[in-house]
Amino acid sequence: MTHFHSGEVAVQQRMGQAHIADRVGRMIRGDIPDVAASFLAEQSMVVIAAADDAGRVWASELVGPLGFVHAVDARTIAVDAFPAAGDPLHQALARPARLGMIALQPERRRRMRVNGFAMPTGSADRARDGVGAGLRIAVDQVYSNCPKYISRRRIESYLPGVDIPAPRYGSELDARQRELVTAADAFFVATADADGNADASHRGGNPGFLQVLSATQLRWPDYHGNSMFMTLGNIAVNPHCGILIPDWTTGGTLQLTGTAELVWAPETFTAGAQCSIDFTITDVVEVHGAGPLRWGPAELSPVNP
């Protein structure tokens, strides 16, 4: 039985990598092995993906002390954190929702992905308030990804009591935000398939690999990875897409949502790209200048094109 939907299969076949995807896809599990449970317990950050009530897809960051993400049993993960008030997923996750999650450990260049169904913990009021609330995820898929394109960086401080500014909202990037995008060596992508099953993934490269074409248009390359093409396959059947760009130094975040399109024209490819993704921004949410988790400088991946 295949793990892949029609969009993923179509991209795998177009890339001539369906045979690799079939082999690699065998590592996808429906439970949480001990090594994955141990990895989750070591994390101070995860990124989640889900759709809001308007159908827009977003990626949001959750942070906490070691152990704030942990396996409850072989099929369930608890996250002792909840999107803050003003986050695009704050209201959306106050009810049951399809959710994707990626745990990234930059200091060791490791990552793990989980897809499943999330329920808010505590009362509905606590979930809406975000105070003492969390998530419980019933997993459908659990799998690791290779270390390619992950910039190594280490946590410098975790300040849970830091005063986080209110988010700023917009519909296009201003000049300072465009500079943040251009300087990025990593970002996170939220997508969903035609049935709304969400997925969160990571993209990395040298600064400038995420290109600003205009105040509402970005482009990034798809580099060779695990050949399963879960992100590209989702985009092929559902263009709604979100990206999260962390400001690793300050803990701030830039969240964008809109639509994505696979571009197969070779003239759009940068070095090392298999295809390009054009992203049209419809909404911008930025928490500028402060966050509880601060990271040190990046050591770029040696395999970046």
Side-chain angles (χ1 to χ4, degrees), residues 58 85-88 166-172 177 283-286:
W58 296 90
D87 185 285
R168 298 173 52 207
Y169 302 92
S171 57
E172 61 181 36
Q177 291 166 344
D283 297 273
V284 178
V285 179
E286 183 184 19

Side-chain angles (χ1 to χ4, degrees), residues 14 262-269 275-276:
R14 177 159 191 158
L262 307 182
V263 181
W264 301 101
E267 60 268 22
T268 69
F269 297 1
C275 74
S276 298

